[in-house]
Amino acid sequence: MKRRIQLLPDHVANQIAAGEVVQRPASVVKELIENAVDANAQHINLLVKDAGKTLVQVIDDGDGMTDTDARLSLERHATSKISKAEDLFKIHTKGFRGEALASIAAIAHLEMKSKTDDSDIGVQINVEGSEVSQQIPTVTPTGTSIAVKNLFFNIPARRNFLKSDSVELKHIIDEFQRVALAHPDISFKMIHNGNELFNLPQSNLRQRIVGIMGSKSNEKLVPVSEDTDLIKIRGFIGKPEFAKRSRGEQFFFVNNRFIKNNYLNHAITMAYEGLLKDKTHPSYFLYLEIDSERIDINIHPTKTEIKFDDQHAIYSILQSAIKHSLGQFNIAPSLDFEKDSSFETSYRQHKNPAKLPEIEVDRDFNPFKEEKQNPRPQASFQQSSFQHEKKAVPSNWEDLYNVESAIADDQQQTNLFEDKQVEQSSKSFQLNNKYIVTPFKSGVLMMNQHRAHFRILYEELLKNITEQPAASQQLLFPLELSLNVHSIEIFKELKESLENTGFSFTKMTNQSVVINGIPDMIQESQVDQIIDELFSEFENEIPETGFESNTILAKSLAKNMAIKNGISLKEDEQQQLINSLFYCKDYLQTPDDKQIFINLSVDDIDKKFA
């Protein structure tokens, strides 16, 4: 009988392994930088071209390798990190599988240069699809340089699955940041297409966080420190008022290894309970130190998942440590009935020098003087700034009767929209500052004010982006927004479209953008939130087609600029909202396919009383 079971050739086995280890250029960056860290490097440089599709090169000044070690490192399951099975439960290095270099060399053109400190000359090895094409002596500094070119050159299907350059670069930046945050004692530099994105000198943890996340992040950090027999926790958490819609600034490190753990993330969320706005997530940079024998790292090829032998205890300790820090630094209130709060000094003031109290006297104060109270001004609907007011809503039968009588007495009947053949028979009014109710001859129309304004702004913004740019409202004092590197890359992609909506920009750096003009439909105080929401929409991917990108941009801006439910509107504002809605191309649904209004006919109402 013919034999059917056979051993796969090494190059085929390497390509199979590469499917797990190397998913995109960011995977190559992760493996090479972690190898450099394991080699005791003090300076690591990352060079990337075309988001890693053309080149990924990592240069370090670590221990380097001899000729034999360099050649052997390209074989499967060849590693210097472990020697026996028991070592899997005592891992102190980033890598240990011995698959990374072999997998990368199987699907790319790899060039390796390496030299040890005690050697006068190094070695250069060139590999193409698992086959060594050249191995020669070379002059190179101490350390290792690995250049990976033409990733997936022999697997075109995998290459076609890669996303746009902006998306792939985002993943590379994520991997770079994770390793850089785990090792502030190592200098890191990243260059993409000749542009320096990061230059991080050796520093402490706080300085490293500020260097990566931007200078404005320093004021947002609250220190965390907790030592127990089971685990040691250190790091920083973000203040609740700076919570974001996205989870881009959430980092867990266990023994200086980045991990993802939803269970521990839930512990932090519970510690912030009652302090966060709806649908926002806190920032944190937390470092957990635990005995390596109490965790299992060897459960996933990417090594971002870890099993703990007592994760329930770690959950409780972590939650308690976060609550303690929030209370200690006066971020959250703490209950201590034995303390006199009048003797407490805030965290911000405890280092300030003491000074004598000053007495201020208001010599113009006159308790018998009568002042006229001016009514609070209310912004117009055109500016999309509505004031929160408590407006009387019929709460009993007498009030309801007065409203019905006022509607019945109104004899003006005008055509609301001739093309829609809708006739208005009486005035509209707000219900619970959320719905606009308009009685008609044939029944009652009830409209959600937020959804209606969402649709109106969406079509207006989309028209501005694609047809005619909108006017810009110039600011007296320009706004400077602090952004991270990834947000800056997103901003570059969307800059032209944002300018068409009414934004104008004067300056852009690797960490900030200066805004000197905004659309006339928003207020200056809304800019931070609107831009943050916008970047969270494009966090995972920027569409390659301009139309789809413009659609997402218009949808995100319109949703955040639209009037919120709970805002009181004047009668003319309500009427203008109704008029503007029915002039939209699609007045039935919001851009995210939610119903805007319902129309109750007299027959429908009669059925309710049947």
Side-chain angles (χ1 to χ4, degrees), residues 105-110 126-134 153-154:
I107 54 175
H109 295 159
L110 184 144
N126 293 346
V127 186
E128 298 180 4
S130 294
E131 296 184 3
V132 177
S133 60
Q134 188 179 45
F153 79 99
N154 53 354

Side-chain angles (χ1 to χ4, degrees), residues 107-310:
I107 54 175
H109 295 159
L110 184 144
E111 178 186 276
M112 177 192 296
K113 295 180 181 180
S114 187
K115 185 182 85 70
T116 59
D117 189 36
D118 56 356
S119 299
D120 296 330
I121 195 168
V123 62
Q124 175 179 333
I125 301 177
N126 293 346
V127 186
E128 298 180 4
S130 294
E131 296 184 3
V132 177
S133 60
Q134 188 179 45
Q135 179 172 345
I136 59 174
T138 188
V139 177
T140 184
T142 300
T144 303
S145 170
I146 299 180
V148 179
K149 305 174 184 178
N150 304 322
L151 190 64
F152 300 126
F153 79 99
N154 53 354
I155 312 179
R158 291 288 300 276
R159 190 176 181 88
N160 293 335
F161 276 110
L162 295 179
K163 303 296 184 180
S164 63
D165 285 359
S166 59
V167 176
E168 297 300 336
L169 179 61
K170 185 258 182 186
H171 289 285
I172 291 175
I173 291 174
D174 287 344
E175 296 294 350
F176 178 85
Q177 289 179 345
R178 291 166 182 174
V179 181
L181 284 170
H183 300 277
D185 56 328
I186 300 177
S187 171
F188 289 89
K189 182 183 291 185
M190 177 178 174
I191 298 175
H192 178 248
N193 290 343
N195 299 321
E196 185 178 272
L197 300 184
F198 292 97
N199 190 352
L200 308 171
Q202 296 175 338
S203 59
N204 58 36
L205 179 56
R206 190 178 194 116
Q207 291 172 339
R208 178 54 56 87
I209 295 173
V210 172
I212 292 178
M213 297 301 166
S215 57
K216 297 290 185 180
S217 61
N218 187 38
E219 62 186 69
K220 308 175 185 178
L221 301 178
V222 177
V224 177
S225 180
E226 187 71 35
D227 290 348
T228 66
D229 295 337
L230 174 63
I231 192 172
K232 294 181 180 180
I233 302 173
R234 60 186 177 92
F236 297 90
I237 55 176
K239 296 179 181 178
E241 59 265 29
F242 296 107
K244 294 187 174 183
R245 304 284 290 187
S246 62
R247 300 178 182 268
E249 295 184 2
Q250 296 184 341
F251 296 88
F252 266 126
F253 299 92
V254 175
N255 295 347
N256 288 334
R257 180 191 301 277
F258 173 79
I259 68 163
K260 299 177 181 178
N261 193 300
N262 293 331
Y263 186 67
L264 297 184
N265 179 74
H266 184 265
I268 296 180
T269 303
M270 294 305 296
Y272 275 91
E273 188 176 12
L275 300 176
L276 299 176
K277 296 180 181 178
D278 187 31
K279 296 181 181 179
T280 60
H281 308 281
S283 302
Y284 56 78
F285 309 84
L286 295 174
Y287 298 74
L288 283 60
E289 295 181 17
I290 189 171
D291 188 351
S292 58
E293 296 183 358
R294 309 195 68 163
I295 59 176
D296 185 6
I297 303 172
N298 189 31
I299 61 175
H300 195 276
T302 60
K303 301 183 286 290
T304 56
E305 298 179 11
I306 289 181
K307 285 186 177 180
F308 299 91
D309 64 348
D310 192 359

